[in-house]
Every structure is written in structure tokens, then in C-alpha cells.
Amino acid sequence: MAGFHIVVCGGMVPDPLQSLEPVVGPDGPALKNEAMLPMVLDPWAAHSLYEAAHLAAHAPGSKVWLVSLGPKARLQQLMMSIAQKVSFELVALDGAAGGFSDAYEIARALAEAIEGIPDLDRTRLLLFGGCASAARDAGVTMSMVAERLGLTEQFLGVDMLETDGDRLRIKERVEGGRYRISECDAPPAMLAWATGTLPIPPNNPQLGMQNMRSIMPALARAKSIPLGSGDVAFGAVERPVQRRETRVVKDMPPEDIAREIVAWMREG
Amino acid sequence: MSEEAIPRQSMDVDIACVGFGPATGGFLTTLSQALEERATEPAFQSRVAPGLPLQVVCFERADDLGFGVSGVVTRARGIRASFPEFDPTEIPMGTKVASERLVYLQDPVGASRRSPGIRALDRLSGVANNGDHAVEVSAIPDFLRKDDGVLLSIGQFNQWVAGRLMSTGLVQLWPGMPVSQPLIEDDRVVGIRLVDQGTDRTGSPESGYMPGMDVHAGLVVVGDGPAGAVGQRLDERFGLPEGKHQRDWAVGMKMVVDLPEDTALEPGTVLHTIGYPEPEIFGFLYVQPERVASLGIFVPSWFASPVRTGYRYLQHWMMHPYLWSRLQGSRMRSWGAKTLQESGLRGEPHLVGDGYARIGEGSGSTNVLTGSGVDEAWTTGVLLAEAVIEHLERDVPFTRDALTNSYVARRRSSWLQTEAKVAEKARDGFQRGVLTGLVGMGLSGITGGRINVSGSHPHPRDRMPSVEEYYEGRIPAEEIASIRESCQRSRASLHDVLMERAGWPPIPHDGKLLVSHQDALLMGGKVQAPPGYPDHVVFLYPHLCESCEVQLCVEVCSGQAITPGEGGGVPDFDREKCVHCGACVWSCTRSREDESERGNIEFRAGAGGLHSAEN
């Protein structure tokens, strides 16, 4: 099996369970106290990174790059966690994180960064990323990156990839809770992943130390990416009205839980 | 899966640090400053990887750097010495102290357990209060004052320090990586073992099993706090020095809140409270920039209540009229809890041994007279780094004798030791009552430790009354038995029911500041636990739990992670709710049969916990 050149696009988003409060700041919409929010690699993109590493480990000659856009200092901190998970080479872009940036501009920055990767063999390219983002859920960024790179084989909501090196067999989520299974000659191709099938890898500091040898220089090289909102004028940001009631129950039958949730929704 | 099938990895480094808090921050900041200037000198080259700079790694248990809870008002003498241009306003939530007040809180609900002396104080102070059941004490003793200090979020401060360290590229910080134990050969610490991953709750291998790596190091720097796994294992192995003991503890529980838009509280305001909700419980409120406040209480081990709860008392404290008039309309942003080791110098463990040195709170650095720990912890790290630099320059191995001459000698001649000696007996009086304790603190502080109120130091468990004894005259024993049975059936702790029965009003949940304990975990602490790790709270001998009527571990648990077990036996532990405060360790009322000082709960290395960097 010939190796792949796998490029994973993955940004940072606030750690799950954080209380997010949109505000309109001097530079447009933002999250309140964004600088203090713990950040994680966007969960869908993280799954794609684990899938990429797994694929690379089983396809000799493969290599994985992670292209990540975010404030450089926050990226550095995030890398201390991610670098322990799997082996990759970082391509860092210094710019705003969050879900308020225009997807078109992000796609352009990512595509240009990928085009600038030395030694990247575009004929062996598998472009990976999340099918959506926890920050915005736009769901279009990966397709736009792929278009810019001239990748016409595109798969969305991917949960499984099998390959013998020359052909890809891909399982995508489609409407109705079903999977569509496709085959194509590839690479090159773009796969925007859903959750995949792999567990989160354990932390391995030794692997982290190996990764950091290339991550620190990559952070030092990080190109500054000015991101605006394009021609779109944001009027305001607001939160959906929500209610939160937490109760801990044990051994409650699912039917009873469902019944209670329905009653609760009707009340609202 | 066979455990033997997967080999345990190992690696060699020069210095391995355990835990990333202020102490390790001070250590790595000082060391990295030297490395930056002298990285090319042979003395600062790695001994284990020739040709490379010194290999310095730090492993932090929590899932990210800065996910901890600690005090936030500090005179910052040590921190300022490390950063001469230190400006707290460069750090989110940081500011200078602008004003400081001590407030005596009376009991507005009539449920607080007050001694005749405290009641007399209530009457005396009642003359001066303005209808809000509180008296502001105009004169704060000098030894307590921090009006030349700074207010910081320790989470944000740790992140600020970590960012500076990581940008140097000279030291490596690995979060989400608990250290399970020291590696000891012939009484010499030769490294550390990281926690196993890919296990079930009991530690048995499951899919994705990866044995914890052995990290061999010339020096292990132990800064894992008062309940850290490595520090505890060292104490078990080497014991405490003669005459030392660790029997004074507290659990601190805090919130970070958004104050109301019309708040009159100015940034930099510091309030200390005493007197309520129980006389033994101290409180604090620090006002930070942008209408944010950090507030909370300390519940000490000498508060001999078998239903000692931090969360419920925190709510009653916030609802005191003096505070509520300032907090009403606030919203909780963050929440958390931590153990404080309050034995100070009296609880100092062996600071060094062959191959290791201890810094920070776990090394007994907290000053219990001035109520200060962060700057002291930072300074212990700085002193160790200065000693390590000396070792490197002179190529002296990290033996016990050499570290005694370098690090311990520096501590003994520093302001830390001078002030720790003054504070050593300052809290002894609290063993005899709150008023006696306050008088004792005053005497120790004013006389520079020359005059102290003496007090015996029984282990917290040895002074713990039964629930029936505690509520004697308030709740009949038969009713307590019925409440116990009911709570046992519902697997709930006793304190909510008993406190309300004893006169504490129900908490009027508002969904913003007054929320259920579980909502505090989710909304404030954002508590999470990654899968694949063993439980870190372990009840060692089931029969000891089965014979325990009090089960204070259930009552004191800051996250409701410990709940009554089946039939009142061994409690259940839910790792996904644990905030790693460690209060269960020193609150256990059953001593191990083989070792009277230690309880039946072992607090091991565990991943997860708080996911807030604002505390």
C-alpha cells in the first residue's frame, strides 16, 4: 500500500460545558471572556486527526499534518494536550478562533497554508477535517478548502474509511439515520469526518516530546491571518432561550426519562 | 487483555516535576531564566541526552494548565522578585488591592451553633451593626493585612506563567498526565511512574490499555499539593520528621461570580469575614475588574461537625444580609474546592531525600497566621531552582545531603522560615474554641510568635462527635435514626435534612447564584472525567467503612461524588463528579489498622476534575 499525505484541518473551540456568552465587542462579535475559556481541538476535527494517525500507522510512508488556526499563544497551550495523542506535524496559523469568522476567509487561509506545505504530494493527498465545527456548525469550510485545492472527490459526515491504498471505501452519514457507502479511486480526496470509530487515544508524553520538536518551530513560523466578517454586517448576537434543570437519577427506565422530557418540553 | 503483553515504556530526563501550580511555576520560571542565559554552557547540558539542553518536564494531573482552585489575594513578594515589572492587570482578572475590611457576621437565622462567648460577642457587636447583622472591624492587624498586595485568579496566573514558560521552549509542560507514584530504589527516588491508561474503574486493563510510563530523572521535584499522590506516597514511605504531624486541614470552596450591573463594590476590594455561618468558618470576597468577584469560605478540620459540608454553608454564607445586599442579582461563573494543608511548619515533611525535593503547599509552606500560601509556594519553587542551578554549576548530584545544604539551607535562611516560625503555633488556640483561637492568633501575630495560646493537636477524627452527640438537645436520636434511614434509602447525604431540621432555612434556588450542588458542578466547575482511568478515591478496607456510622466522607464531599453505599457499607464513588479537592482523605473517621495517622481512604492520582481556569 502506498502511503498517504494526510492534511487535517482542525481549529480550537471552547472546552465542552463552558458557559458561553456572545457579546458585540469593538472588533465585532465575540465571546465574553474568550481569553479565559479553556480551549480544545474542535471535537469533529479531533476525531479526524485520530483517524488520520490510525490510517498513517497502517500505511507505510504516510505522513500527517495538522493545519490549525487560532491565537498563537492559545495554540501553543492546546498543543501540549494534542501532541500527546498522535504523531503529526503542525502548520500553525495565527488568527482569531471562534465561530464568528467568515467560513470563506477561513477556507482561503487554510487552502493557502496547505498549498505552502513543502514536500506535500498532492497526488497522495487526503484532506481531513470535521464535518462541522462546535464553534459554528457551518459545515461548509472543508468543502470550500477542497474546492480551492481542486479536490473533486468529497465526502461529508464520514464515519469509516477503508483502503487498500488505491481505492477508498467510505461510509458517510446520510439522511434518515442511514449510511451511504461509496467507493472511488483515490487519493486525492476530501473527507469531512463525523465521529469516526476510534476512541480518544491515551496521553503519551514521549510522543508529545517528539511532536514538540517540530511544533515549537511551527508556532514560531505561524503566519498572521487577518480575519474579518467579509461583507457581512453583524447586527447582534444573542443566545437562544433555554432552560436548564439538572437532577441526578439512577436506574430510571428510559421510558420514564423520555416521558418526563416530553412533559417538560410541553410545559415550556 | 494481558497486562504483560504491553511493555511499560520508559524515558530518561534530567528533572521531572510533579504538578503545575504556583510552586512549580516559581521553580520552572527561575530555572528557565537561567537556561535561557546559559543554555550553551556545559553545566546546563543534559546528562541523559548528550548534546541537548537540560531535559526538564512537568506533568500536571488536571486536563489543562490552570484548572485548579486557590487563594487569590497575595502580597506577591516572591512573585514580584521573579518578575520585577510585574503588573497584575496584565493577567485577566488581576488587579491591585484597593481596600481591605474585616467583617464580623452575626447569626441572622438563629441556627448557627454559637458558644456562650460567641453569643456575648454577638450582643456586644449588635450595638454597632446597621441592621445587616454585621460589624466592620476598622483595624486589621498588620500581620493579616494585604493592602499592598494583588488580587489574582490563580487559574489565570498559572496560565500566564505557563505561557511564558512554554514560549521559551526550554521546559515542557504536559497536562492531563497524572503521576501515580515515585519510583524508589534503595530509598532513593529515581523517577516517577505515570498513571495507567485504558483501564476500568479498578485499574484492570481494558481496550486501549497503556501502562503508565516510567520517567527516570536525576531529580524529581514534587509540587503536587496537599493531597498529591506522589507526596503522600513519599510520606508513607519515609514518614514525617520526628515531632511533625499533619492534623490541621481545611476545605476551601469558592465561586467566581458576575456581580450585578449596579454593584457598588469597587475592583480591588477585599473582605474577610468571621462568625458565620458557623463561628469556625471564615469567608472571603475579592472584587476583581469588570464586575467580577471571587468569594468563598474555609471549613476547617477543627470544626468538629459530623455533617461538615462546604457547599451548603457556602450558600448560607452568601445569603447573610451583609453579603446578600451586595451579591443579590449576581451570577455564578465558576466554582470549585480544594484542600488546604494548614499545619504549616508543624506539618513540614522531609523536604529532600536522595533524588527528590518537595516544594509548595505539600511541603508545609502555607502560612496559617497570615492566611497566605500562593506566594510562599512560589518562593519555595524559586529557592529550589536556585539550589538546582548551584548543583548544575558544580556538577553535584541530587543527594539528600547535597540538597539539604543547598535547598533546605536556603529555605531555613529565607523570610519563609522566619514567618513560618512566627505562625507555627498561631492556630493552636482554635483547638480550644473559636474565641480562644482568635485571641491566640492575635497574640502570636502581635508578639512575633513569642507568646502563643497552647492547644493539643488531636487528629480530626479523634474529636469528631457522633451525629447524635452533635445534635443533642436539638434533634432527638430517634428522629436522627429515621433521617439516616431515609437518606440511606435515597443514597443522599445527611446534612441538608439535618441542617434544615436544626433551623437552617431552605435555599431558595434562583438558577443563577443559588443553584443545586449538581448544577454547581456542571455550570460552575464544568467537571469532567475522561474515560479509561482507574478510580482515584479508594476505600481500602471495606470492614472499616461498614463499621463507620458518621461517614463524614459523604458529608464533606465537595462534588457529591461520594454517596452512601449499599446498606450503609462502603460508600459509592463517582469519578465523574469529583473535583479532586481531597477533603475525603483527612475527613475519614476510620484509621487504618496499620497506621493510626492515615484514614481508610486512599487518594490516588486521577485525571479530570474541574474544567475552569477562572478560579
Side-chain angles (χ1 to χ4, degrees), chain A:
Chain A
M1 186 195 296
F4 300 106
H5 278 191
I6 311 170
V7 176
V8 180
C9 298
M12 56 168 65
V13 297
D15 177 278
L17 285 187
Q18 300 300 314
S19 306
L20 306 182
E21 186 173 343
V23 293
V24 178
D27 302 323
L31 292 175
K32 189 176 178 183
N33 304 314
E34 190 167 338
M36 286 188 277
L37 292 170
M39 306 296 271
V40 297
L41 188 63
D42 202 322
W44 283 277
H47 288 301
S48 76
L49 177 63
Y50 307 148
E51 295 284 351
H54 181 75
L55 176 60
H58 291 84
S62 296
K63 188 171 178 183
V64 178
W65 288 265
L66 172 63
V67 182
S68 196
L69 191 157
K72 193 159 78 169
R74 308 298 311 266
L75 270 181
Q76 180 176 284
Q77 185 168 342
L78 177 65
M79 285 305 130
M80 302 310 288
S81 299
I82 302 303
Q84 297 186 66
K85 300 287 186 189
V86 294
S87 184
F88 62 87
E89 194 166 297
L90 178 68
V91 178
L93 301 175
D94 186 12
F100 299 107
S101 302
D102 183 63
Y104 177 83
E105 291 193 39
I106 292 175
R108 181 171 60 190
L110 294 174
E112 287 175 358
I114 294 167
E115 285 170 338
I117 296 175
D119 306 325
L120 179 68
D121 183 348
R122 299 265 290 266
T123 64
R124 298 159 68 197
L125 173 63
L126 290 179
L127 178 64
F128 278 23
C131 62
S133 160
R136 184 164 180 180
D137 215 15
V140 296
T141 310
M142 288 308 300
S143 292
M144 286 198 279
V145 175
E147 290 296 327
R148 284 183 164 275
L149 295 174
L151 303 180
T152 53
E153 302 292 358
Q154 300 183 15
F155 303 91
L156 305 175
V158 177
D159 263 346
M160 197 193 73
L161 166 65
E162 292 173 343
T163 179
D164 58 5
D166 296 323
R167 287 187 67 76
L168 304 179
R169 187 166 185 270
I170 294 159
K171 197 187 267 191
E172 287 173 284
R173 293 183 186 182
V174 293
E175 290 179 3
R178 298 180 181 196
Y179 279 120
R180 178 172 64 200
I181 296 172
S182 314
E183 288 193 18
C184 70
D185 289 331
M190 184 281 280
L191 283 76
W193 286 81
T195 57
T197 57
L198 298 174
I200 298 173
N203 288 339
N204 184 341
Q206 199 164 31
L207 181 59
M209 292 174 81
Q210 289 166 11
N211 278 331
M212 289 311 283
R213 288 179 196 145
S214 62
I215 285 173
M216 292 305 287
L219 285 165
R221 286 195 304 269
K223 186 180 166 190
S224 179
I225 306 294
L227 288 174
S229 53
D231 296 330
V232 179
F234 284 95
V237 287
E238 59 183 32
R239 287 187 294 179
V241 175
Q242 60 174 293
R243 287 169 56 195
R244 182 173 199 157
E245 292 175 12
T246 306
R247 190 157 50 92
V248 176
V249 293
K250 298 220 173 188
D251 305 325
M252 190 172 180
E255 296 78 15
D256 290 352
I257 295 174
R259 201 172 295 117
E260 216 178 275
I261 291 171
V262 169
W264 181 81
M265 291 169 72
R266 282 181 176 150
E267 272 177 35

